[in-house]
Amino acid sequence: MLRQHKIPVTILTGFLGSGKTTLLNRLLRDARNRHAAVIINEFGETGIDSELVFRTNEEIIEINKGCICCNVRADLIEVLKNLIVKLAKKEIQLSRVIIETTGLANPAPVIQTFLMDEIMSFWFEIDSVCTVVDSKHLPLHLEQEIAQEQIAFADLIIMNKLDLVSPEELKDLELRIKQMNATAEIISVTNSEVPMNKLIGINSFQLSEKVKIQPDLLTETHYHHHHDHMNSFVLKSDKPLILDRVNNWFSYLVQIKGESLYRYKGILHVKDVDRRVVFQGVHMLFASTEDRRWKENEPRKSELVFIGMNLNEEELKKGFRYCMDQDFNLQLEGYFFKD
């Protein structure tokens, strides 16, 4: 049974000092979030962020037994289940859930909670994963893997403290971020002043009508000296894909490369299938479904986006070619593809 109207979830992440709590306060002041439940995750036995949260009538919960991404996912599920019980008993109204993670959190396990747990996926759906970055100190933060992971998982990246950087510095940072995450929308602001219609109800975690790609930002090569571990690639083709070969290739990617693949998503044009096939994955958690029918005059093409750790572009291109060329054989890391 499908639940028609799921409760949207906004996951708010970002490195230490980026401006997440300021943004959360702005969210809570907005009337559209009057019945939001806010889950605050502060690492350590004594929380700090909850003391800074603007107090409204929202259900504010603090999880402080450890970083959500490491060892408290069970606590997160328990909190959410309690909210569902209160909602069923009509003890609360619940329009959305906002989760603010600690600055040291990898968002992946939080995301996976809503995809893997049956109860969570029945009641909730992720609206967006928003990462706030400190534009002034971002070059220093990006030396740390956690900051790169937070950017990799984002659908929306808010470059905060715009007033502290020059236009040239901002452009350089945007290009660097686009190399890590080719599809996230980037908004540059001061003091976390993000328009609510850019943050709430945007449904950006789900695959949009068209994969948003800016090829000009992906062709830059003069940033390689940064040695960022995170990178992203976009693959496109109007040639139909062979379903069995697609299944073989994705089986390889999930089993062998899953830990390196942070986010991957796309639209597939599959031979003899009259509908678009859409897919989305987080690490080794992967799902694909047949979407709407291709429109009569719509160009049929495949668009795939891969975001991850030290991804090999040539290897991905070979796998993609394997999916559309019956005569092309492929062997990678001892995994031989058989029809």
Side-chain angles (χ1 to χ4, degrees):
M1 180 176 62
L2 294 176
R3 181 175 164 81
Q4 295 298 316
H5 302 290
K6 297 185 180 184
I7 301 165
V9 177
T10 298
I11 299 173
L12 184 59
T13 186
F15 206 66
L16 299 166
S18 61
K20 296 190 304 300
T21 300
T22 302
L23 180 58
L24 179 60
N25 284 334
R26 292 188 182 280
L27 278 169
L28 297 184
R29 289 188 181 100
D30 190 273
R32 285 168 288 187
N33 300 315
R34 183 175 55 180
H35 300 300
V38 183
I39 301 174
I40 304 169
N41 175 222
E42 173 66 15
F43 185 73
E45 288 300 317
T46 303
I48 298 175
D49 283 2
S50 60
E51 298 302 318
L52 304 177
V53 170
F54 182 82
R55 295 289 175 175
T56 64
N57 293 326
E58 281 71 35
E59 180 88 6
I60 296 180
I61 304 161
E62 181 180 8
I63 298 176
N64 61 5
K65 293 182 181 178
C67 172
I68 283 179
C69 72
C70 301
N71 60 1
V72 300
R73 193 166 68 187
D75 284 9
L76 175 60
I77 291 175
E78 189 64 27
V79 166
L80 292 167
K81 285 182 178 178
N82 287 339
L83 287 174
I84 294 170
V85 171
K86 289 183 178 181
L87 180 64
K89 293 180 177 179
K90 298 183 179 181
E91 295 177 1
I92 62 170
Q93 291 179 282
L94 187 58
S95 61
R96 89 169 29 250
V97 173
I98 302 171
I99 300 175
E100 181 193 6
T101 72
T102 173
L104 299 175
N106 176 344
V110 181
I111 295 170
Q112 289 173 316
T113 296
F114 294 98
L115 301 180
M116 295 175 66
D117 187 275
E118 289 187 13
I119 296 178
M120 295 301 101
S121 62
F122 178 82
W123 282 90
F124 302 97
E125 67 178 358
I126 299 175
D127 182 12
S128 66
V129 179
C130 173
T131 296
V132 185
V133 301
D134 178 342
S135 299
K136 176 66 175 177
H137 299 103
L138 182 59
L140 295 176
H141 294 169
L142 283 180
E143 300 302 321
Q144 302 203 34
E145 190 173 308
I146 285 294
Q148 293 190 31
E149 290 171 342
Q150 291 170 349
I151 288 173
F153 282 107
D155 305 301
L156 174 65
I157 297 172
I158 297 173
M159 298 191 66
N160 198 25
K161 306 182 184 180
L162 176 62
D163 55 322
L164 301 181
V165 295
S166 68
E168 292 76 18
E169 290 173 318
L170 184 65
K171 182 179 179 181
D172 183 276
L173 291 172
E174 287 181 347
L175 289 171
R176 190 172 174 186
I177 286 173
K178 277 297 179 182
Q179 284 195 323
M180 297 182 190
N181 188 332
T183 60
E185 181 178 0
I186 299 176
I187 300 176
S188 300
V189 300
T190 299
N191 199 28
S192 298
E193 294 179 344
V194 182
M196 287 299 106
N197 63 351
K198 289 286 188 178
L199 188 61
I200 293 296
I202 57 177
N203 200 31
S204 60
F205 183 80
Q206 305 302 320
L207 195 64
S208 59
E209 179 68 16
K210 182 179 179 182
V211 179
K212 297 179 181 179
I213 301 164
Q214 299 183 42
D216 56 314
L217 294 178
L218 297 175
T219 56
E220 301 287 340
T221 59
H222 59 281
Y223 291 91
H224 290 177
H225 67 277
H226 286 300
H227 300 295
D228 295 325
H229 298 295
M230 215 61 61
N231 54 358
S232 63
F233 299 107
V234 178
L235 304 177
K236 292 184 179 183
S237 177
D238 57 6
K239 190 173 181 180
L241 307 182
I242 303 164
L243 182 57
D244 288 344
R245 291 198 162 211
V246 171
N247 290 335
N248 286 343
W249 186 42
F250 273 93
S251 178
Y252 163 78
L253 290 174
V254 171
Q255 293 177 41
I256 308 300
K257 296 292 182 179
E259 286 297 328
S260 299
L261 285 171
Y262 283 66
R263 288 284 302 274
Y264 46 109
K265 56 185 177 179
I267 300 170
L268 304 180
H269 166 31
V270 178
K271 185 178 180 180
D272 299 326
V273 176
D274 199 36
R275 294 178 178 270
R276 306 189 319 170
V277 177
V278 299
F279 73 92
Q280 182 157 225
V282 175
H283 285 311
M284 286 166 281
L285 181 63
F286 166 80
S288 65
T289 58
E290 286 192 11
D291 191 31
R292 62 167 175 80
R293 293 183 180 276
W294 292 99
K295 297 177 183 177
E296 185 175 348
N297 297 319
E298 180 181 12
R300 297 192 179 194
K301 59 183 179 180
S302 298
E303 294 182 313
L304 297 79
V305 179
F306 295 95
I307 304 169
M309 178 76 72
N310 297 321
L311 298 182
N312 186 315
E313 183 177 14
E314 288 305 312
E315 182 179 314
L316 290 172
K317 286 180 177 178
K318 286 179 181 178
F320 193 39
R321 180 185 169 189
Y322 162 81
C323 291
M324 56 184 138
D325 187 347
Q326 188 71 52
D327 298 322
F328 182 69
N329 293 317
L330 184 62
Q331 186 171 6
L332 296 170
E333 292 190 5
Y335 191 103
F336 185 68
F337 294 83
K338 298 180 180 179
D339 294 322

